[in-house]
Amino acid sequence: MHTSSPAATITTGQRGRILAYQPNGQGSVSVAGIQHAFDVATHWRSDVAPAINAVVDVRFDDAGGLATVTAIPAQQLAQEDMAGAAKLARDKGQQLWGRAVSALGVKVLGALGVLIAGAFIFNTIGIRLFASVSRTYWQLLGLSADSLESFARDGGSGFTSAQFFFLLAIAACCATMASSHPKAALGKCAPLLFIVLHSSLLFIKIKGAVSDAGNAMGGIMGSRAARMAEQMASEMLGQVWQGLSFGIGFYLVLASSIVLAAYGVGEYKRKTIG
């Protein structure tokens, strides 16, 4: 067997791909688009036979001649692919972060982070009616207020339209990344607008659910007890409000939404007036 001279310097390995291999031990490997002939007895350094299209590690001596060809285990290739994908994702993330900082600013991004953390991580509201439960703002958006019992006990299921519009409101805060129009800055007002509208609708639904419950009791007791049922509904509504308590998530979501809206209005004024 012929081997390379011990004094020869072996370069760092390069990736190559086997293009051809003959039963007599002769083959061809491509490295950076250049083909190199190799011989199994002289250059091959693996326990398995060469396979066409296999990715291999190719090394050259200091004179530029082919020194060794080594098969690369599939597990190592998979790890390298994962590392490459992770690097690509990291590079894309850094590019996106740079664009976001340039278009939105660190303060706006910080307020967005607080909004997202307050909505998804911290409890926004505590409910003490039929049971004592706590909900994040995201879970609150998935609740049904059609009846008091479902509002107090329902854990939320599926993806609701309220959750969709909340995500849309968050995305609207980044409108200036896609458009330089002054009105794009007003997209930062979307979370606050959504919170006000959703809270108003939720209040109306809860009040309606309480009224329906009182009317149902009045229907059972007879028409003469209508005034009593109305008073009972009013007392039930008071109990509902007393049974609600606000958590840190509520204050984070509300404060960050107000801050974002202030930034959006201020940016709009600077672009239109200044």
Side-chain angles (χ1 to χ4, degrees):
M1 178 188 299
H2 300 287
T3 59
S4 302
S5 171
T9 300
I10 306 299
T11 62
T12 303
Q14 303 179 48
R15 288 291 182 265
R17 186 177 296 274
I18 294 178
L19 299 180
Y21 176 67
Q22 303 296 330
N24 61 6
Q26 301 297 315
S28 175
V29 60
S30 175
V31 180
I34 302 176
Q35 296 186 25
H36 303 270
F38 72 91
D39 181 76
V40 168
T42 305
H43 307 106
W44 191 247
R45 294 293 184 272
S46 295
D47 295 332
V48 295
I52 295 177
N53 289 327
V55 178
V56 293
D57 179 85
V58 182
R59 297 173 185 263
F60 299 90
D61 56 29
D62 53 359
L66 190 65
T68 63
V69 180
T70 308
I72 301 176
Q75 183 178 1
Q76 181 179 342
L77 289 174
Q79 291 175 349
E80 291 178 355
D81 289 342
M82 291 179 60
K87 183 179 183 302
L88 180 61
R90 184 170 60 253
D91 292 342
K92 291 295 184 181
Q94 290 175 348
Q95 292 177 7
L96 183 60
W97 174 255
R99 285 183 56 198
V101 170
S102 177
L104 303 176
V106 176
K107 293 181 180 180
V108 171
L109 289 173
L112 270 174
V114 172
L115 173 62
I116 293 172
F120 289 89
I121 299 177
F122 298 99
N123 286 331
T124 295
I125 193 171
I127 308 170
R128 295 188 303 274
L129 292 176
F130 300 93
S132 180
V133 293
S134 296
R135 307 292 186 195
T136 64
Y137 188 69
W138 179 255
Q139 292 172 331
L140 181 64
L141 295 177
L143 297 182
S144 170
D146 294 333
S147 69
L148 292 179
E149 186 174 0
S150 64
F151 179 72
R153 294 180 178 176
D154 188 12
S157 59
F159 185 73
T160 66
S161 58
Q163 291 173 332
F164 169 76
F165 284 111
F166 178 65
L167 294 179
L168 200 62
I170 293 177
C173 295
C174 304
T176 50
M177 293 181 62
S179 173
S180 59
H181 195 281
K183 289 184 179 180
L186 296 178
K188 298 178 182 65
C189 301
L192 182 60
L193 179 62
F194 172 84
I195 291 171
V196 171
L197 291 176
H198 178 261
S199 300
S200 300
L201 292 174
L202 189 61
F203 172 80
I204 294 172
K205 280 191 173 183
I206 293 176
K207 189 175 180 180
V210 172
S211 179
D212 291 342
N215 292 335
M217 290 183 181
I220 296 174
M221 297 171 63
S223 58
R224 296 180 180 180
R227 182 175 298 179
M228 184 182 297
E230 184 178 350
Q231 182 179 358
M232 186 179 298
S234 178
E235 292 176 355
M236 288 177 61
L237 184 61
Q239 291 178 358
V240 169
W241 300 137
Q242 291 178 2
L244 298 180
S245 60
F246 297 107
I248 187 174
F250 169 79
Y251 300 103
L252 291 177
V253 169
L254 182 60
S256 58
S257 298
I258 294 174
V259 169
L260 285 169
Y263 278 132
V265 173
E267 183 180 349
Y268 173 75
K269 288 181 177 180
R270 288 194 303 271
K271 290 182 176 179
T272 54
I273 300 176

